[in-house]
Amino acid sequence: MPLFQVNKKLLPIKIHFFLKGAGSAPILPFLATIMNQRGYSSMIIGLFYTIISFLGLLIRPTVGAITDKYKCRKNALTLNVGISCLFINILIFIPGSAVKTEMNDMDVIKSPLFWLFFSTVTLIIISNVVIMVMEDTICVHILGEDKTKYGHQRMWAAIGWGTMSIISGMCVDWFSKELEYKNYTPGFIISLICYILDTYVVSKMKNAQNTDVKTGPSNVQKVLTKIRVLSFLLWVVAFGILISFVRSFVLLYMEEISNIYCPDTKPYIKTLQGLSLTIQCFCGEVPFFFLSNFILKRVSHMHVFSIMFLAFSVRFYLYSIITNPILVLPVELLNGITFALGYSTAISYAAQLAPVGAEGTLQGIVGMALNGIGTPIGSSSGGYLLKRFGSITSFKFISVVALAICITQTIVNQLINRFFKNDNVKGEEVSN
């Protein structure tokens, strides 16, 4: 038996996940710091994430339903990777701006440059929304009965993200030597190259979709009336609220404590931020994506969610007591539990619940709950909290909120298991 065996059936989706993660890393996690450098307040940043999240609210289930009906998942994936290439190229040429003092919110909203930046980034993110629905649906379809192995495939996105986070961070710092502000052009170019390669990869993938299966909307509606499913979607919304604080505000927080407590770290803050993302991925996400199959076969999905919410509480509390951006790095190890394990659980459980032929629809609904409802709530409330009370108080408050969610979710799950034991989903027993 060979020492290393390559599953050729799964190789294209692994390569896609890697290139997609590598292409996203130089742009998406740095958006808040880019906007802050342009003089936009935390309120504007929170509003920005809220609006783009709401735009994705209906896109996710709609795209899932359309591609289920017309059997065009591969075409939708290829088209939207190509769209990302186009608008990243436009983003490179949008004039940069940097200000020493925070701009008035109304002046920002009246600025044509803001709306050009906003529109371009929004189109990139919307195309990424479609990509996420399609890649997850295609992946679980290819896996067949081994849906808990989703994490083994998804971890390649973490590898790509972690690799290019530190590389792009270092390139931005190097390219910005002797400059008062950071020049993000190297990151945009790295992202564009990865997306161009990904366009080729996904265009060569086989269409992973049953063409002879039809599923009516009543089958999906029946699943959505089950108390277990509604409860699951509620906790996915809570997951989205909490993860938005990490995505939108942690890198911004690192810059804040660097400016206040450790100004000597400012020349290499982008490298530190990139390193934090790399640690999130290689030391957090990759191990837990890999272990997710082992864990989910032994621990129920809702118990995993309880562990995730508790880890969020610990993570946010640790952020609130840190005064040196370097100390953020070990905290990022918790990203394995708070994102990788939680996300694998959500996707694999949704795949178990979905009626045959409607996998994309249900994955779209889960994506809507996570990023279309949870994320905008977290982004808007986070923007308000940070502007009104500051970072430290905000992270302490959300730590308490995460703990309360953990306790509530544990109690509700026990009640459902006790009083709705026979309320099976899809007519079969589903462990919670």
Side-chain angles (χ1 to χ4, degrees):
M1 179 180 291
L3 183 61
F4 296 103
Q5 288 184 319
V6 177
N7 188 330
K8 294 181 179 179
K9 184 179 178 181
L10 294 172
L11 185 59
I13 196 69
K14 284 183 169 71
I15 296 174
H16 159 69
F17 273 129
F18 175 84
L19 291 172
K20 165 67 184 338
S24 301
I27 296 180
L28 298 187
F30 294 100
L31 282 176
T33 60
I34 293 172
M35 295 177 72
N36 182 251
Q37 179 172 287
R38 289 173 173 261
Y40 307 156
S41 71
S42 59
M43 180 67 78
I44 290 291
I45 294 171
L47 180 63
F48 173 83
Y49 281 110
T50 300
I51 292 174
I52 60 177
S53 297
F54 274 126
L55 289 174
L57 181 62
L58 295 178
I59 290 176
R60 297 172 190 275
T62 301
V63 166
I66 291 173
T67 54
D68 281 344
K69 180 176 181 179
Y70 295 104
K71 317 300 179 186
C72 56
R73 291 174 189 164
K74 176 195 167 182
N75 291 338
L77 179 61
T78 305
L79 174 63
N80 282 277
V81 174
I83 290 173
S84 293
C85 286
L86 173 63
F87 286 102
I88 289 170
N89 190 57
I90 293 174
L91 188 62
I92 293 174
F93 294 101
I94 292 179
S97 64
V99 297
K100 293 184 178 180
T101 58
E102 187 176 286
M103 296 173 62
N104 180 274
D105 290 347
M106 289 305 300
D107 291 338
V108 171
I109 294 174
K110 294 177 181 178
S111 169
L113 187 60
F114 167 76
W115 288 107
L116 178 60
F117 176 83
F118 172 86
S119 301
T120 304
V121 174
T122 297
L123 290 168
I124 292 172
I125 294 178
I126 287 177
S127 64
N128 271 262
V129 166
V130 179
I131 291 170
M132 289 175 64
V133 176
M134 292 299 96
E135 67 188 6
D136 288 341
T137 308
I138 290 172
C139 182
V140 295
H141 178 91
I142 295 172
L143 290 172
E145 297 298 320
D146 295 326
K147 291 178 175 58
T148 55
K149 290 185 178 179
Y150 166 81
H152 288 184
Q153 322 313 315
R154 182 59 173 74
M155 74 177 185
W156 287 96
I159 294 172
W161 182 286
T163 301
M164 289 306 169
S165 295
I166 184 63
I167 291 176
S168 61
M170 292 174 66
C171 287
V172 169
D173 278 338
W174 177 81
F175 203 71
S176 304
K177 282 183 179 179
E178 311 301 328
L179 298 178
E180 186 176 1
Y181 299 100
K182 299 297 182 180
N183 188 326
Y184 289 90
T185 301
F188 295 156
I189 294 174
I190 291 171
S191 180
L192 180 61
I193 293 171
C194 291
Y195 271 100
I196 290 173
L197 293 173
D198 193 28
T199 303
Y200 175 79
V201 171
V202 296
S203 68
K204 297 299 180 181
M205 290 174 59
K206 292 183 179 180
N207 188 31
Q209 194 163 4
N210 293 325
T211 58
D212 57 347
V213 176
K214 293 184 179 181
T215 299
S218 61
N219 292 332
V220 178
Q221 292 170 3
K222 183 178 179 181
V223 171
L224 294 177
T225 60
K226 300 295 183 180
I227 189 66
R228 291 186 185 277
V229 179
L230 293 175
S231 173
F232 163 63
L233 292 175
L234 175 63
W235 307 128
V236 171
V237 170
F239 178 21
I241 292 172
L242 298 177
I243 200 64
S244 69
F245 274 78
V246 177
R247 290 174 175 171
S248 303
F249 302 114
V250 169
L251 296 190
L252 199 59
Y253 178 54
M254 290 179 70
E255 292 200 351
E256 181 179 327
I257 59 178
S258 173
N259 292 331
I260 297 174
Y261 300 109
C262 302
D264 56 306
T265 62
K266 290 176 65 176
Y268 55 91
I269 188 62
K270 294 301 157 188
T271 301
L272 279 179
Q273 290 172 332
L275 181 58
S276 74
L277 296 172
T278 300
I279 292 173
Q280 283 182 11
C281 294
F282 281 107
C283 302
E285 291 181 22
V286 171
F288 276 92
F289 273 130
F290 183 78
L291 292 171
S292 61
N293 179 49
F294 175 85
I295 294 171
L296 289 173
K297 286 184 176 180
R298 291 161 178 80
V299 182
S300 71
H301 292 82
M302 290 302 99
H303 287 157
V304 171
F305 265 38
S306 299
I307 295 169
M308 175 190 70
F309 290 135
L310 179 61
F312 265 120
S313 180
V314 173
R315 184 176 186 177
F316 289 133
Y317 176 74
L318 291 175
Y319 285 146
S320 72
I321 61 175
I322 287 173
T323 57
N324 189 320
I326 295 177
L327 297 179
V328 171
L329 302 182
V331 181
E332 302 308 82
L333 294 171
L334 288 171
N335 200 57
I337 301 175
T338 58
F339 177 71
L341 189 56
Y343 193 74
S344 295
T345 301
I347 296 300
S348 63
Y349 190 53
Q352 288 183 17
L353 299 177
V356 177
E359 297 89 348
T361 303
L362 198 58
Q363 290 293 349
I365 291 172
V366 171
M368 178 184 70
L370 177 65
N371 295 301
I373 300 176
T375 295
I377 293 174
S379 297
S380 57
S381 59
Y384 171 78
L385 287 171
L386 263 70
K387 185 168 185 177
R388 178 69 176 81
F389 301 104
S391 300
I392 294 175
T393 302
S394 298
F395 278 119
K396 284 183 178 177
F397 173 76
I398 198 63
S399 173
V400 175
V401 170
L403 181 59
I405 292 173
C406 175
I407 295 171
T408 303
Q409 186 262 342
T410 302
I411 295 173
V412 169
N413 185 49
Q414 293 299 318
L415 292 174
I416 290 175
N417 285 338
R418 180 173 180 179
F419 294 106
F420 297 89
K421 187 175 182 180
N422 298 319
D423 187 23
N424 298 334
V425 179
K426 293 170 60 177
E428 56 191 39
E429 190 70 35
V430 177
S431 173
N432 277 285

